[in-house]
Amino acid sequence: MSTAPAIELKGISKAFGPVQANKDISIRVMPGTIHGIIGENGAGKSTLMSILYGFYKADSGEIFINGKKTDIPDSQAAINAGIGMVFQHFKLVQNFTVLENVVLGAEDSALLGPSLARARGELKRLAAEYELSVDPDALIDDIGVGMQQRVEILKALYRQADILILDEPTGVLTPAEADHLFRILENLRAEGKTIILITHKLREIIEITDTVSVMRRGEMTATVKTAETSPPELAELMVGRKVLLRVKKTPAQPGEKIVEVRDLNVVDDKGVHRVKGVSFDIRAGEILGIAGVAGNGQSELLEVLGGYEKATGSIRMRGEEIDLTGSRSDGQSRRRRGIAHVPEDRQREGLIMDFHAWENVAFGYHADPAYQSGMFMNNAAIREATAEKMKRFDVRPPDPNLSAKSFSGGNQQKIVLAREIERNPDLLLVGQPTRGVDIGAIEFIHQRIVELRDEGKAILLVSVELDEILGLADRIAVMFDGQIMGERLPGETDEKELGLLMAGITDTEREHSLAEVEAQLAHTSGRAGKEA
Amino acid sequence: MDFITIVQILDSTIRLAVPLLLACLAGLFSERAGIFDIGLEGKMLAAAFMSGAVAYTTGQVWIGLLAGIGASLLLSGIHGLASITFRGNQLISGVAINFLAAGLSVVIAQDWFGQGGRTPNISGDARFNGITLPGADAIESTPFIGPIYEELLSGHTIIVYIAFLTVPLTWWILFKTRFGLRLRAVGENPAAVDTAGVSVVGLRYAAVGICGILTGLAGAYLATALQAGFVKDMTAGRGFIALAALIFAKWRPWYALSACLLFGFLQAVALRFQNIDLGLVELPVQFMDALPYILTVIILAGFVGKAIPPRAGGQPYVKER
């Protein structure tokens, strides 16, 4: 074939201070293909694509679009060159309508009226063409993340993008929504559009891409045809060594009942009933996994157990009642009762990003006598303890004096885990333990959680990653709309059945069409448009 | 209380509401774009001084007005530089501008005119005079309609009419134009604007500039229309009342008009009566002065609907990694 590549990058380099994010990267993507870029967190994937979209400027290197050398100093230039990008964190104005978001920055004239009218018609056409229907008058605030992502794709198509970059698009989606997204991408490819898919999920690469490039530590280590590679090979290319993709663990040996939750109910500030009559037990030496799409009450459940959300119902630790409201219901008293908590959002709840690692390790345990020296804090002792924890948990770099924000996502998570696990809790609450964590660190974190279980601790694992739940949990409970829809054993279920439960469909025996599942999801994720 | 007293109170309500309204709309443009502006007071004061001083010196009120707007724009530029270009703390920059204006206006006035930090009285062409609307004199003696038209609607300075026309204009710009859409977006989520290929910095400077022009008008109105010349601290907290009105109005132009009229009315009542006897209790005049702030606290506490500020307000825009 003699057609010019849709995108060709030659020798792109970019440094942020002393960190070399991209080193001499070259890549060719042919038109009408889906090209995957895979790599660990911090490997430089997002930086590379941000350069292509004009969000950052490369220190050196050249960009060719459809064979023509193109300068992309800002996003406007990228848009003009026919490039659209769907960022991992959506760039939408929350209290604008879908229509206003689509039009923003691409208005036809100084007056809004005609632009909005034209966009309305255009959205209708795109919806029909690519299965991308959204209610144009819905506020972004009121629609679910799946819909919001469609708005982002529509924004790019409205600007007549021929090249679409998607950064970790499936992180927030249910399996059914992800399938729908892939159908949309296939439709776009069939129309001759070029798609770049950034992801850390090997399965997605195998499922949908034509070619795949692997990045590691700012460098492009390989570009291969997807048909000629395999997940283990890609994982090895990403990490630079052989990786265990499956968690190694023996069957659980549950002991005495550690925690007993009965009829737990949470109503939030806005009067929304977030958790509805949830009951479960966890025994010593077992991991209970809670699966579900984000926002179905799992976060609130963790917050109640962690002591910073009020609830009604009862929680017993080793048979003793725990206060769910009042002055003895806080993180401190929970910790005294042997509950440790690794929160879902480590950057907001787990760590103070501007504080040093050693300060972060003391949080929650600052009253520990070992950390005191008379009426003062014994900072030297905390530093020393932190340095040891960092060594045991393989935190890189193992320097207690660095601020939390200067560690990568995986290493931040290891700091939180080290703080909580080393307190020898009876019950460990873990929320999204590997969100934004690279494959190498995932392996380590999973092993530590299994080791803790084998020491006879009870573990409550909340994760939106089905793979993680299936691999790690000894029992799986699925939450939907604040309720537990059912419990399954990992050996006796599969992604499909769990996916249906996650969408609130309990008669999982029956064959369900994809459209039915989607309709159900659209119904539950806010004011969403009807499926075409 | 007779009819004519009520008309007179409403008339002074309008005149007292105008500086609040202009400053409030100024703040609206700035804050809708994500730049909090606690320096409205200082900019008004600087504009009041410059317009009074230049109007006196040249004898031309229009030159005075331009000088006032210039002074206010200069301070806006400083605020923009500090909070947009150098990504500094917007509150600190605003407070600094208030102090700067309060001090400099008096010092320069003393140096130029030697009258204890004020400008000499201005009159004639150096001051904005009332415009008599057509037919006002003829209709004056008609009962009811006459006083309303002659006292209330006619006889104000041009800035009063401009201020009231600014309300629908602001609404139209904000909700019906491309610029307005982008302005609102940049105050809610600047990253969305940036990735859409529009300059965040440019939009925010434009908003701060409009804010400067409107506070300039407000300040000039104080020194050359409401009163005859500049006196020390003549803004008397109006910039802060305007901010309160902005919150009260939930950052919306028509609500801003109502809020400013309400606060202007409270000021007019406080000016006219010393203490208000309600039979059982006597309200001291200080209570009337404090009422705008009390109402704002009630609004902020969420008792009367919720006032949600622009989401990116107060935060400098830094591209995230």
Side-chain angles (χ1 to χ4, degrees):
Chain A
M1 279 203 294
S2 62
T3 43
I7 305 161
E8 183 168 13
L9 303 179
K10 280 188 185 164
I12 298 280
S13 292
K14 171 77 183 171
F16 292 103
V19 184
Q20 189 76 35
N22 286 158
K23 261 179 273 182
D24 190 27
I25 289 185
S26 299
I27 178 178
R28 290 156 67 100
V29 180
M30 297 310 284
T33 63
I34 299 181
H35 186 96
I37 296 187
I38 195 163
E40 295 191 282
N41 274 81
K45 307 175 299 244
S46 295
T47 304
L48 184 66
M49 289 305 117
S50 294
I51 288 170
L52 184 53
Y53 192 64
F55 212 53
Y56 300 127
K57 208 164 165 27
D59 299 335
S60 62
E62 293 174 321
I63 300 171
F64 294 82
I65 304 294
N66 296 322
K68 220 172 68 202
K69 186 173 181 314
T70 313
D71 240 4
I72 304 184
D74 54 30
S75 298
Q76 189 64 56
I79 292 167
N80 292 341
I83 302 173
M85 180 148 176
V86 177
F87 287 86
Q88 186 175 7
H89 303 286
F90 303 147
K91 310 289 183 193
L92 296 171
V93 182
Q94 290 290 323
N95 58 359
F96 277 20
T97 63
V98 169
L99 204 58
E100 286 174 318
N101 267 291
V102 168
V103 161
L104 179 67
E107 308 89 342
D108 301 327
S109 62
L111 287 183
L112 269 186
S115 306
L116 289 175
R118 187 173 79 84
R120 191 179 291 275
E122 187 68 11
L123 284 195
K124 211 175 259 174
R125 190 185 69 76
L126 290 170
E129 200 172 338
Y130 300 110
E131 295 186 57
L132 271 167
S133 53
V134 200
D135 174 9
D137 298 311
L139 289 178
I140 300 299
D141 262 331
D142 295 338
I143 61 178
V145 279
M147 283 291 164
Q148 294 184 12
Q149 188 173 61
R150 283 188 204 177
V151 178
E152 284 284 16
I153 296 174
L154 284 169
K155 263 168 74 178
L157 296 179
Y158 184 72
R159 288 160 174 75
Q160 284 162 358
D162 286 321
I163 298 165
L164 191 63
I165 308 166
L166 295 111
D167 191 357
E168 300 282 1
T170 58
V172 291
L173 303 181
T174 61
E177 282 177 312
D179 284 342
H180 187 139
L181 172 69
F182 287 165
R183 273 215 315 283
I184 293 169
L185 295 186
E186 277 163 7
N187 287 342
L188 289 168
R189 171 170 60 186
E191 292 284 319
K193 311 248 185 221
T194 309
I195 293 160
I196 297 188
L197 178 72
I198 303 175
T199 182
H200 66 271
K201 293 182 187 165
L202 294 167
R203 213 191 44 191
E204 293 174 359
I205 291 287
I206 299 296
E207 212 173 302
I208 189 155
T209 63
D210 300 305
T211 47
V212 53
S213 297
V214 184
M215 287 189 74
R216 183 171 73 221
R217 284 191 214 125
E219 288 178 86
M220 187 90 35
T221 49
T223 297
V224 291
K225 282 212 168 62
T226 310
E228 294 166 6
T229 185
S230 65
E233 189 192 354
L234 286 175
E236 199 181 325
L237 282 167
M238 275 165 75
V239 185
R241 62 179 164 83
K242 285 220 183 296
V243 201
L244 274 178
L245 289 179
R246 293 213 151 268
V247 188
K248 207 163 56 179
K249 67 176 181 121
T250 52
Q253 277 152 4
E256 52 164 337
K257 200 183 282 179
I258 297 286
V259 63
E260 200 178 308
V261 173
R262 289 291 173 270
D263 195 29
L264 208 63
N265 282 282
V266 176
V267 178
D268 72 5
D269 304 341
K270 291 176 191 150
V272 181
H273 206 159
R274 293 289 182 188
V275 177
K276 301 172 182 166
V278 163
S279 305
F280 58 82
D281 298 328
I282 311 176
R283 293 177 174 278
E286 72 167 353
I287 300 173
L288 174 66
I290 305 242
V293 183
N296 276 294
Q298 312 96 307
S299 306
E300 288 78 6
L301 180 63
L302 276 180
E303 285 165 11
V304 168
L305 287 160
Y308 53 102
E309 171 78 88
K310 284 199 265 302
T312 57
S314 88
I315 301 177
R316 288 164 186 273
M317 280 291 289
R318 294 183 186 278
E320 275 179 66
E321 197 79 29
I322 276 182
D323 286 318
L324 295 183
T325 50
S327 61
R328 272 184 304 172
S329 171
D330 57 28
Q332 277 296 308
S333 39
R334 292 289 200 278
R335 291 198 165 90
R336 275 197 294 274
R337 302 293 288 272
I339 302 177
H341 186 186
V342 178
E344 289 184 299
D345 188 340
R346 62 177 161 271
Q347 304 201 340
R348 274 179 45 208
E349 294 169 348
L351 296 164
I352 298 182
M353 300 304 282
D354 286 324
F355 279 32
H356 298 136
W358 64 269
E359 288 168 308
N360 273 299
V361 162
F363 288 139
Y365 303 103
H366 44 273
D368 183 337
Y371 292 166
Q372 312 295 317
S373 141
M375 61 180 287
F376 297 104
M377 302 287 296
N378 188 350
N379 292 347
I382 305 175
R383 278 202 193 90
E384 207 173 296
T386 304
E388 280 166 26
K389 281 188 208 298
M390 289 174 108
K391 229 172 277 162
R392 278 196 296 271
F393 274 77
D394 190 32
V395 178
R396 287 177 235 176
D399 180 355
N401 292 318
L402 286 176
S403 62
K405 67 180 173 204
S406 45
F407 292 94
S408 73
N411 285 307
Q412 287 171 4
Q413 189 69 310
K414 286 184 198 165
I415 293 174
V416 180
L417 271 173
R419 176 178 76 204
E420 303 298 336
I421 288 184
E422 299 234 319
R423 287 285 149 177
N424 202 22
D426 291 333
L427 169 66
L428 179 71
L429 313 170
V430 206
Q432 321 298 349
T434 54
R435 176 183 280 171
V437 169
D438 44 75
I439 288 197
I442 289 177
E443 189 187 7
F444 180 87
I445 290 169
H446 283 171
Q447 271 169 7
R448 292 310 295 239
I449 293 175
V450 171
E451 276 168 33
L452 198 70
R453 178 202 74 168
D454 292 342
E455 285 168 26
K457 311 297 184 192
I459 292 165
L460 179 70
L461 166 75
V462 169
S463 176
V464 293
E465 303 278 353
L466 268 184
D467 289 343
E468 179 163 58
I469 295 275
L470 279 165
L472 215 49
D474 300 310
R475 284 187 294 131
I476 300 171
V478 181
M479 271 187 92
F480 168 77
D481 194 27
Q483 302 170 45
I484 290 185
M485 302 306 292
E487 240 187 69
R488 299 284 185 273
L489 293 174
E492 297 167 10
T493 185
D494 55 21
E495 295 216 350
K496 191 161 168 248
E497 188 187 20
L498 294 176
L500 287 170
L501 285 170
M502 284 161 70
I505 296 166
T506 42
D507 53 337
T508 50
E509 299 299 310
R510 201 163 75 80
E511 276 294 311
H512 286 272
S513 70
L514 210 58
E516 261 183 283
V517 179
E518 270 168 19
Q520 181 72 17
L521 282 170
H523 174 70
T524 55
S525 58
R527 257 205 305 143
K530 282 224 163 63
E531 214 51 51
Chain B
M1 213 183 317
D2 59 351
F3 176 65
I4 203 74
T5 315
I6 294 174
V7 169
Q8 279 167 356
I9 291 179
L10 292 181
D11 176 57
S12 77
T13 295
I14 287 181
R15 279 184 284 120
L16 290 167
V18 162
L20 299 180
L21 182 59
L22 286 168
C24 186
L25 293 173
L28 192 147
F29 273 103
S30 184
E31 301 207 346
R32 277 282 190 161
I35 305 291
F36 281 161
D37 196 350
I38 210 165
L40 293 176
E41 176 86 359
K43 278 184 265 189
M44 267 165 92
L45 194 62
F49 166 68
M50 274 313 275
S51 61
V54 172
Y56 172 78
T57 316
T58 61
Q60 293 295 323
V61 69
W62 288 101
I63 300 180
L65 175 66
L66 284 181
I69 291 176
S72 172
L73 270 176
L74 182 72
L75 293 181
S76 272
I78 294 176
H79 188 50
L81 211 59
S83 54
I84 305 169
T85 305
F86 295 114
R87 303 189 187 117
N89 185 307
Q90 299 171 6
L91 294 184
I92 292 175
S93 162
V95 169
I97 283 170
N98 286 340
F99 278 112
L100 195 69
L104 274 184
S105 60
V106 175
V107 169
I108 299 175
Q110 176 62 18
D111 184 53
W112 284 1
F113 304 107
Q115 295 194 0
R118 59 195 297 281
T119 64
N121 272 338
I122 53 176
S123 56
D125 277 349
R127 193 168 173 235
F128 283 107
N129 295 303
I131 298 170
T132 309
L133 293 184
D137 296 331
I139 209 173
E140 188 182 356
S141 50
T142 321
F144 195 66
I145 306 232
I148 288 186
Y149 187 70
E150 199 268 339
E151 273 277 331
L152 208 54
L153 299 180
S154 173
H156 295 293
T157 59
I158 179 89
I159 298 185
V160 173
Y161 299 109
I162 292 176
F164 281 91
L165 286 178
T166 309
V167 177
L169 186 68
T170 302
W171 173 82
W172 184 78
I173 289 176
L174 226 47
F175 297 103
K176 295 290 164 190
T177 69
R178 170 173 65 191
F179 175 71
L181 182 78
R182 293 176 175 185
L183 188 89
R184 285 183 290 135
V186 86
E188 292 289 333
N189 185 356
V193 173
D194 194 13
T195 51
V198 183
S199 163
V200 172
V201 169
L203 274 172
R204 287 192 159 172
Y205 266 107
V208 166
I210 294 172
C211 171
I213 292 171
L214 290 176
T215 42
L217 268 174
Y221 174 80
L222 288 178
T224 60
L226 193 64
Q227 290 171 35
F230 169 83
V231 293
K232 177 175 182 284
D233 292 336
M234 78 181 303
T235 43
R238 284 188 174 88
F240 297 108
I241 297 184
L243 278 180
L246 184 58
I247 296 167
F248 204 79
K250 302 174 184 176
W251 293 268
R252 289 176 194 177
W254 288 106
Y255 287 20
L257 176 62
S258 331
C260 291
L261 282 175
L262 173 66
F263 292 174
F265 175 73
L266 294 176
Q267 289 186 345
V269 171
L271 268 184
R272 175 123 189 159
F273 307 103
Q274 276 311 298
N275 298 323
I276 299 169
D277 195 357
L278 291 180
L280 287 173
V281 280
E282 191 169 285
L283 289 179
V285 67
Q286 287 85 355
F287 179 76
M288 300 299 287
D289 287 336
L291 209 48
Y293 300 107
I294 296 173
L295 286 175
T296 305
V297 169
I298 291 173
I299 280 280
L300 277 180
F303 290 121
V304 195
K306 222 173 170 186
I308 303 166
R311 267 171 245 207
Q315 300 160 4
Y317 177 59
V318 185
K319 277 186 190 189
E320 55 191 303
R321 283 204 54 187

